């Protein structure tokens, strides 16, 4: 990142490698003096403040579509952490589990909950999936939106509680649920591509047979009829078609986050969450930007990659100008890296009404060695560096020429 000039010059132009390593070493997200007392009630106390600030901005800047998805993300990590999770079906298997509420139409993370298990001094929580969905959907209640969940969250009780909050539910059910009648469970007598429907008020349950001796059961409070896709050979119910279209909200976000990531190897779980916050934040920014400017990256291959480069350059350009202005004796390679990023010496000093005040400041001569410590108030008119009388030249102009110029 910092050594080879053929690589991206942004790293070398922004800061030195030593400063980068020092920042990674000392970066902290809370007050260490009060951490012990806060940790007695909250396992996530070292990162709680940053996490809540991030979620406030995510909820404030985006209005969800008619469908949202609730699912889980496993952030890979194998270090020391009091709420580390083991999920054998995930590629990473070990990590920090985050429950996300994402839009089903576009890749945007609206709200999230880091699963920390049982908090100190509290009882073991039951029906974790139902409680998570209720908590995540508290900000969109009474909006008529539909929520898509998998079999970890879906239940009849959750559907009824969301109905009271003015929300719909579509999700799969596990086969061990007592609410499923025997006629909807797998059986050899059921034909392939057949469907069984059940209705109870505004709640609909459907059991579909995709292949022999297997049945998929779904629950919905959005659909209220026996609509089936007659044009297709598999004759899927409309509930399953709707579920397949809206179930991938969180999975798409997780996939896009892993495609372009800023994660680095670390032993601190707070840094793991911080890297994930940066990845999700940049993805939300990309979705937000493309929704407002749809023509900007249309037809551009790797559009998100170009967006991330442009976003990074706009964020660090002011810092590069300050570094070029205030740091004396920058290495030649660093100055060349800044020039490749579009920052030159003539652009480093702000010009305007305060220019005369800046030129009056006494600074050390740029040409003299630092051991002489020669101060001057005269600056070069081209590059704006301070120069003493031994390293500057004065132009001699007669009075007639001056009068001729004024005329």
């Amino acid at each position: 990142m910092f050594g080879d000039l053929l690589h991206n010059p942004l790293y070398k132009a922004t800061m030195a490698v030593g400063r980068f390593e020092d920042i990674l070493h000392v970066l902290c997200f809370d007050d260490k003096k009060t951490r012990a007392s806060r940790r007695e009630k909250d396992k996530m106390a070292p990162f709680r403040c940053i996490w809540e600030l991030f979620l406030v901005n995510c909820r404030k800047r985006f209005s969800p579509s008619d469908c949202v998805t609730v699912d889980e993300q496993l952030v890979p990590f194998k270090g020391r952490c009091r709420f580390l999770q083991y999920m054998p079906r995930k590629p990473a298997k070990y990590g920090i589990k985050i429950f996300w509420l994402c839009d089903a139409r576009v890749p945007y993370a609206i709200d999230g909950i880091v699963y920390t298990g049982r908090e100190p001094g509290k009882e073991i929580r039951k029906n974790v999936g139902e409680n998570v969905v209720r908590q995540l959907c508290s900000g969109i209640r009474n909006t008529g939106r539909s929520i898509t969940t998998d079999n970890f969250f879906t239940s009849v009780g959750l559907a009824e509680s969301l109905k009271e909050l003015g929300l719909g539910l579509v999700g799969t059910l596990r086969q061990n649920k007592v609410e499923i009648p025997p006629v909807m469970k797998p059986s050899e007598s059921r034909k392939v591509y057949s469907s069984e429907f059940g209705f109870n008020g505004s709640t609909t349950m459907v059991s579909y047979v995709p292949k022999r001796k297997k049945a998929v059961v779904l629950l919905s409070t959005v659909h209220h009829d026996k609509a089936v896709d007659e044009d297709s050979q598999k004759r899927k119910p409309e509930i399953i078609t709707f579920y397949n279209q809206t179930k991938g909200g969180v999975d798409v976000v997780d996939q896009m986050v892993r495609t372009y990531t800023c994660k680095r190897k670390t032993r601190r779980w707070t840094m793991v969450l911080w890297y994930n916050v940066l990845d999700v934040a940049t993805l939300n920014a990309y979705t937000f930007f493309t929704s407002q400017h749809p023509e900007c990256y249309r037809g551009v291959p790797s559009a998100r990659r170009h967006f991330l480069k442009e976003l990074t350059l706009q964020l660090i350009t002011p810092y590069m100008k300050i570094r070029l202005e205030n740091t004396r004796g920058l290495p030649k390679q660093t100055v060349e890296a800044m020039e490749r990023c579009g920052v030159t010496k003539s652009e480093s000093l702000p010009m305007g009404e305060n220019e005369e005040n800046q030129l009056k400041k006494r600074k050390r001569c740029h040409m003299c060695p630092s051991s002489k410590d020669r101060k001057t108030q005269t600056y070069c008119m081209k590059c704006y560096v301070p120069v003493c009388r031994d390293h500057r030249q004065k132009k001699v102009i007669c009075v007639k020429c001056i009068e001729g110029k004024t005329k």
Side-chain angles (χ1 to χ4, degrees):
M1 291 168 59
F2 292 89
D4 194 349
L5 285 178
L6 297 178
H7 290 171
N8 196 333
L10 292 176
Y11 306 107
K12 183 178 287 294
T14 305
M15 65 181 69
V17 60
R19 175 171 172 78
F20 177 73
E21 292 176 349
D22 291 341
I23 291 176
L24 287 182
H25 180 70
V26 302
L27 189 60
C28 185
F29 305 98
D30 69 328
D31 187 2
K32 197 173 182 179
K33 296 179 181 179
T34 62
R35 182 184 300 172
S37 59
R38 289 182 288 108
R39 215 167 191 171
E40 293 178 357
K41 300 180 180 179
D42 185 10
K43 295 181 182 179
M44 200 184 155
F47 197 75
R48 178 63 66 182
C49 181
I50 299 296
W51 179 255
E52 294 298 335
L53 290 175
F54 169 66
L55 294 181
V56 167
N57 289 328
C58 290
R59 293 189 292 262
K60 186 190 302 183
R61 303 298 178 185
F62 185 78
S63 179
S65 63
D66 59 332
C67 303
V68 294
T69 307
V70 176
D71 208 343
E72 58 193 13
Q73 176 199 19
L74 185 69
V75 184
F77 183 62
K78 288 187 177 181
R80 292 184 178 181
C81 181
R82 298 175 65 183
F83 45 89
L84 193 71
Q85 298 294 313
Y86 171 69
M87 303 179 68
R89 294 186 179 182
K90 296 288 184 178
K93 292 184 173 53
Y94 291 92
I96 300 173
K97 184 162 66 173
I98 305 177
F99 296 108
W100 286 109
L101 174 69
C102 297
D103 195 281
R105 308 298 185 187
V106 293
Y108 189 94
I110 305 169
D111 203 350
I113 299 174
V114 178
Y115 180 67
T116 57
R118 184 174 66 90
E119 296 294 340
K122 295 184 179 180
E123 298 180 355
I124 298 176
R125 293 184 296 179
K126 298 181 180 179
N127 300 325
V128 176
E130 298 181 16
N131 296 331
V132 166
V133 174
R134 293 192 191 98
Q135 187 174 347
L136 289 175
C137 298
S138 60
I140 58 173
R141 61 177 61 186
N142 298 322
T143 59
R145 292 183 171 90
S146 62
I147 303 168
T148 303
T149 59
D150 61 10
N151 55 22
F152 177 77
F153 306 93
T154 311
S155 66
V156 177
L158 176 63
E160 294 175 353
S161 62
L162 291 179
K163 193 190 312 177
E164 297 175 357
L165 299 177
L167 299 171
L169 177 68
V170 177
T172 56
L173 281 172
R174 290 181 176 176
Q175 297 292 339
N176 58 356
K177 295 290 185 180
V178 296
E179 296 90 351
I180 301 177
V183 70
M184 291 189 176
K185 292 187 177 181
S187 174
E188 294 183 1
S189 59
R190 296 187 61 184
K191 296 181 180 180
V192 180
Y193 305 146
S194 63
S195 301
E196 291 287 345
F197 289 87
F199 301 93
N200 184 10
S202 60
T203 305
T204 303
M205 186 180 297
V206 60
S207 176
Y208 175 71
V209 182
K211 57 184 180 180
R212 188 168 174 268
K213 296 183 179 181
K214 185 177 181 180
V216 180
V217 183
L218 283 88
L219 187 72
S220 175
T221 58
V222 181
H223 306 82
H224 309 290
D225 53 16
K226 298 183 179 182
V228 177
D229 186 6
E230 300 290 349
D231 298 333
S232 175
Q233 180 183 0
K234 294 184 178 181
R235 297 173 53 85
K236 290 185 179 180
E238 185 180 343
I239 298 177
I240 294 181
T241 304
F242 179 84
Y243 174 79
N244 292 335
Q245 293 174 350
T246 59
K247 68 179 181 180
V250 179
D251 295 334
V252 172
V253 170
D254 189 19
Q255 181 183 7
M256 296 183 70
V257 161
R258 285 188 279 110
T259 303
Y260 297 109
T261 180
C262 65
K263 294 177 182 177
R264 294 177 60 83
K265 187 177 180 179
T266 179
R267 298 179 180 178
R268 300 165 55 193
W269 63 266
T270 53
M271 291 299 299
V272 173
L273 288 178
W274 172 243
Y275 292 143
N276 194 68
V277 164
L278 292 180
D279 292 338
V280 175
T282 53
L283 177 60
N284 286 356
Y286 172 74
T287 303
F288 194 76
F289 180 82
T290 52
S291 62
Q292 291 188 332
H293 308 278
E295 301 293 336
C296 186
Y297 290 105
R298 180 171 294 178
V300 178
S302 303
R304 183 163 165 251
R305 181 169 176 265
H306 291 285
F307 171 81
L308 292 176
K309 282 188 174 182
E310 185 66 25
L311 175 64
T312 304
L313 185 61
Q314 292 186 13
L315 289 174
I316 66 175
T317 296
Y319 180 78
M320 284 193 291
K321 292 181 178 180
I322 295 175
R323 186 188 183 196
L324 188 60
E325 170 193 350
N326 299 331
T327 307
R328 186 181 178 187
L330 282 174
K332 183 179 179 181
Q333 293 182 348
T334 302
V335 177
E336 291 177 354
M338 291 183 178
E339 292 177 353
R340 291 175 60 187
C341 297
V343 178
T344 58
K345 193 69 175 179
S346 59
E347 299 176 356
S348 61
L349 284 174
M351 304 299 293
E353 298 180 357
N354 299 327
E355 179 182 357
E356 296 182 359
N357 296 330
Q358 292 176 358
L359 297 181
K360 292 181 180 179
K361 293 182 179 179
R362 290 177 56 84
K363 289 189 176 182
R364 184 182 298 166
C365 177
H366 185 72
M367 309 296 293
C368 295
S370 58
S371 59
K372 289 187 177 182
D373 195 23
R374 299 185 66 175
K375 300 293 181 63
T376 180
Q377 290 182 336
T378 307
Y379 286 69
C380 178
M381 298 303 296
K382 284 191 174 182
C383 61
Y384 305 103
V385 297
V387 288
C388 64
R389 65 180 65 181
D390 296 338
H391 296 98
R392 67 174 181 261
Q393 295 181 356
K394 293 184 178 180
K395 294 182 179 180
V396 179
I397 304 176
C398 66
V399 179
K400 291 183 179 181
C401 293
I402 296 176
E403 292 177 355
K405 288 183 177 182
T406 56
K407 292 180 180 179

